[in-house]
Amino acid sequence: MLKAVAPWFIRESYDNGITRIVEPHVHPLLRASIWHIRGERDLWIDAGTGIASLPTAFPELCEHDPLLVLTHAHVDHAGGADAFDQVFMHAFELDALPTVSSMPLDAATVVKRLGIGREPLGEELPEMLVDAVPPGPEVQAISGAGPTTPMRTIVEGDQIDLGDRTFTVRELPGHTPGSIGLHCRESRILVTGDALYEGTLIDDLPTSDGVAYAQTMRTILSLDIDLVLPGHGPPLAGMKAKVIAQRYLDTRPHSGE
């Protein structure tokens, strides 16, 4: 039986009104970065597994007409979307939602539903991909339901206006067909989801596309960015992110196709 721990989330604050939230008791494979960006509206980017509710844990970050943008539909990014009323995602990700919602977070189920191997990060996954649960009599190691409200689909060039700054949707496919990022030209910030982070990039899922992934890396290299908010891990300097992108192109055999 898993122990109950509180708080479930860890919160880290950065400059420019940026907050990173993580679930420390979730295995690194599924320990996604949940981003909140303060503006005249509250922008959330990705929602974690959904084992616990983000708005309940952080009501002060949901005071200004909050909206949630999902970079893609995997359980570690979309599981907690059922707690939000306004959810945006690329249309190509819609078919994946039934596969990842309300998922028991044991390795056998996650491997089967996502189509990954048992050693996606270089070592075999443990039996359970969480080592605790939040307190509560009914809490189990099962993800949230994912988006349960009507979603708005977004595509390349759409804009998310926070009042004091605007983020533009960038299509960053490869990890999944509808992976997207958000780019703020004024602040020179790029949110990448699982298109780029420091660590093992996963491009061999059944729905992955290595050629598209390589093009995504070229897109990232073309952008003027000082700060990257990745799908896993803390913020990266823009130059560090470009090193990761170039390394991908240099080491993947499909990158020249």
Side-chain angles (χ1 to χ4, degrees), residues 143-168:
S143 75
T148 56
T149 58
M151 285 183 296
R152 288 184 57 182
T153 56
I154 48 179
V155 296
E156 175 80 19
D158 283 349
Q159 295 191 333
I160 307 295
D161 185 0
L162 303 187
D164 61 337
R165 53 185 155 177
T166 299
F167 284 82
T168 301

Side-chain angles (χ1 to χ4, degrees), residues 5-84:
V5 298
W8 179 250
F9 300 105
I10 290 178
R11 171 178 174 174
E12 302 167 348
S13 297
Y14 301 93
D15 294 337
N16 295 313
I18 295 170
T19 299
R20 175 177 177 251
I21 296 166
V22 294
E23 299 173 277
H25 293 281
V26 174
H27 186 274
L29 177 68
L30 301 181
R31 191 184 302 154
S33 291
I34 303 161
W35 297 102
H36 175 275
I37 299 177
R38 176 71 75 188
E40 294 176 17
R41 301 189 68 180
D42 284 311
L43 171 62
W44 288 82
I45 305 160
D46 290 337
T49 65
I51 291 179
S53 166
L54 287 160
T56 298
F58 303 103
E60 72 280 7
L61 301 183
C62 295
E63 295 174 339
H64 304 289
D65 194 19
L67 62 92
L68 169 67
V69 174
L70 297 176
T71 61
H72 61 297
H74 284 164
V75 62
D76 49 334
H77 299 264
D82 54 322
F84 292 84

Side-chain angles (χ1 to χ4, degrees), residues 36-218:
H36 175 275
I37 299 177
R38 176 71 75 188
E40 294 176 17
R41 301 189 68 180
D42 284 311
L43 171 62
W44 288 82
I45 305 160
D46 290 337
T49 65
I51 291 179
S53 166
L54 287 160
T56 298
F58 303 103
E60 72 280 7
L61 301 183
C62 295
E63 295 174 339
H64 304 289
D65 194 19
L67 62 92
L68 169 67
V69 174
L70 297 176
T71 61
H72 61 297
H74 284 164
V75 62
D76 49 334
H77 299 264
D82 54 322
F84 292 84
D85 294 329
Q86 299 183 72
V87 183
F88 297 74
M89 187 175 66
H90 198 285
F92 288 175
E93 295 296 292
L94 296 177
D95 289 343
L97 286 173
T99 304
V100 302
S101 61
S102 299
M103 180 191 294
L105 298 181
D106 61 89
T109 301
V110 172
V111 164
K112 180 178 180 180
R113 289 212 200 173
L114 296 187
I116 59 176
R118 284 300 300 248
E119 300 181 2
L121 302 183
E123 59 183 35
E124 187 169 357
L125 296 172
E127 180 180 352
M128 292 299 299
L129 297 185
V130 296
D131 61 19
V133 292
E138 304 296 329
V139 176
Q140 302 179 55
I142 298 175
S143 75
T148 56
T149 58
M151 285 183 296
R152 288 184 57 182
T153 56
I154 48 179
V155 296
E156 175 80 19
D158 283 349
Q159 295 191 333
I160 307 295
D161 185 0
L162 303 187
D164 61 337
R165 53 185 155 177
T166 299
F167 284 82
T168 301
V169 175
R170 301 305 307 255
E171 293 178 353
L172 303 175
H175 178 68
T176 67
S179 288
I180 63 98
L182 295 178
H183 180 217
C184 180
R185 293 180 183 272
E186 299 91 338
S187 300
R188 298 170 63 89
I189 294 171
L190 177 66
V191 187
T192 60
D194 279 3
L196 185 144
Y197 50 84
E198 189 165 19
T200 302
L201 299 177
I202 297 176
D203 62 357
D204 58 354
L205 302 174
T207 58
S208 296
D209 183 330
V211 175
Y213 214 142
Q215 183 55 49
T216 283
M217 293 307 186
R218 296 187 187 99

